[in-house]
C-alpha cells in the first residue's frame, strides 16, 4: 500500500521520500510552471523548489546560455529558495512553504561551463542542484540544505 501519491517525476523527490521511509506512487501531472502575470513567487503548487533572485523566478534553464545567465546573476549574491509541499488526505490539503536564503561564492564562466557539461543543471530550477555538485557554489555557512530539499518539511 502506498502512503502518498507523488505528483512529480522528479527522481530527487522520489529519493527524498524513500530516504525517510514513505511509500509512494508516482502520478505525474503535466502542468505549465510558467509564472502568470498576477502570481507572486509564493504561488507554488505540488512538491517543488524554486529559486528567486531580486523578485525573478529562476526556472529550469532553456539552454546553456540561459543557465550561464542565471548562475552568473547568483554569483556572489544571496538568493531565496522556496520549497513547497502540498499533501492532500481525506479531502483536506496541507500546504507548507519553506523559505531559505543562500549565498553563492563568486563563480567563473569556466566553472559554470564545467558544471553544465556534467548534465546536472539542465533540468534544475535556477540551473543548479543544492543536493548535488551545485552545492559547491554555495557558502556552507549560509544554508542548511536539509530544509531546502524537503526532508525537514516532511519529517
Amino acid at each position: 500500500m502506498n502512503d502518498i501519491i507523488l505528483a512529480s517525476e522528479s527522481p530527487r523527490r522520489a529519493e527524498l521520500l524513500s530516504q525517510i521511509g514513505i511509500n509512494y506512487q508516482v502520478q505525474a501531472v503535466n502542468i505549465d510552471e510558467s509564472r502568470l502575470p498576477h502570481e507572486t513567487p509564493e504561488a507554488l503548487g505540488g512538491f517543488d523548489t524554486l529559486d528567486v533572485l531580486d523578485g525573478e523566478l529562476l526556472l529550469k534553464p532553456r539552454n546553456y546560455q540561459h543557465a550561464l545567465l542565471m548562475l552568473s546573476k547568483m554569483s556572489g549574491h544571496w538568493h531565496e529558495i522556496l520549497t513547497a509541499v502540498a499533501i492532500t488526505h481525506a479531502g483536506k490539503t496541507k500546504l507548507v512553504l519553506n523559505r531559505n536564503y543562500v549565498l553563492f561564492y563568486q563563480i567563473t564562466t569556466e566553472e559554470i561551463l564545467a558544471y553544465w557539461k556534467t548534465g546536472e543543471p539542465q533540468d534544475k530550477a535556477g540551473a543548479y542542484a543544492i543536493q548535488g555538485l551545485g552545492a559547491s557554489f554555495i557558502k556552507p555557512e549560509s544554508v542548511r540544505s536539509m530544509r531546502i530539499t524537503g526532508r525537514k518539511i516532511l519529517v
Side-chain angles (χ1 to χ4, degrees), residues 85-100:
V85 178
I87 298 174
T88 300
H89 183 265
K92 295 181 182 179
T93 300
K94 170 109 177 157
L95 177 64
V96 177
L97 177 64
N98 188 37
R99 294 174 181 270
N100 284 277

Side-chain angles (χ1 to χ4, degrees), residues 2 8-10 14 18-19 23 27 29 32 47 52 61 65 69 73 94 99 102 107 109-110 113 132-133 138 143 147:
N2 295 312
S8 169
E9 291 181 319
S10 167
S18 295
Q19 285 176 355
N23 295 317
Q27 289 186 6
V29 293
D32 181 359
F47 187 155
V52 181
Q65 290 301 322
L69 177 68
K73 283 182 179 180
K94 170 109 177 157
R99 294 174 181 270
V102 297
I107 52 178
T109 301
E110 292 77 19
L113 178 59
L133 299 171
I138 297 170
V143 66
R147 291 188 58 165

Side-chain angles (χ1 to χ4, degrees), residues 70-82:
M70 287 190 286
L71 291 168
S72 294
K73 283 182 179 180
M74 288 185 281
S75 178
H77 293 94
W78 287 91
H79 69 278
E80 184 177 22
I81 299 176
L82 302 174

